[in-house]
Amino acid sequence: MASGTERGSRASGTTTRRRASTAARPAEADPKQGGGNATSVAQVRLRPDELAELQQVMRTLDLHSLSDALREGLRLLSREATEVAAAQEIRDFYEGGRAPTPEGVRPATADELAAADETEW
């Protein structure tokens, strides 16, 4: 059910607000979230092409709301940030040098590294 400040179609995932806020603000605890943890509301502006792409992703991944899709995106960003931080820690530990390979493992050749870089998922 849309609040008094929202208008639009939940099915299309678009709403317009009469007033906008750039900061996240606390919201009432959602009993469906469990544990009584308070949630926050955040706004994002999307261009029409970004919204269309997001809606396609939602259909593909069977995500039922914009909130579900954005939470999934944030989860993936968090995982990537953790991996980037771990890689930086390794570089810092080895002071820019190469990390040693395990015993019996040959280092990758330049061609193997280039092929891995070109791999698309």
Side-chain angles (χ1 to χ4, degrees):
M1 185 167 173
S3 70
T5 60
E6 293 181 358
R7 275 189 282 240
S9 167
R10 284 185 141 234
S12 70
T14 59
T15 58
T16 56
R17 295 184 182 270
R18 283 185 266 170
R19 64 188 151 147
S21 170
T22 57
R25 61 184 190 270
E28 294 294 322
D30 185 352
K32 294 182 282 186
Q33 295 293 325
N37 295 332
T39 61
S40 294
V41 174
Q43 294 179 337
V44 61
R45 291 187 188 274
L46 299 172
R47 295 186 312 261
D49 61 313
E50 292 170 328
L51 182 60
E53 185 176 353
L54 180 59
Q55 289 170 334
Q56 177 61 43
V57 167
M58 289 172 63
R59 285 188 294 274
T60 301
L61 298 178
D62 197 29
L63 299 170
H64 301 290
S65 70
L66 284 172
S67 292
D68 289 343
L70 295 174
R71 277 191 292 274
E72 180 66 13
L74 290 171
R75 187 184 67 75
L76 292 172
L77 280 173
S78 178
R79 180 190 302 169
E80 185 172 345
T82 300
E83 291 173 3
V84 168
Q88 185 60 49
E89 285 181 27
I90 291 169
R91 281 191 296 276
D92 292 346
F93 181 82
Y94 288 104
E95 298 174 347
R98 283 197 134 164
T101 55
E103 192 174 316
V105 175
R106 295 178 305 123
T109 65
D111 289 339
E112 290 171 330
L113 292 173
D117 287 341
E118 293 174 10
T119 300
E120 290 187 27
W121 296 94

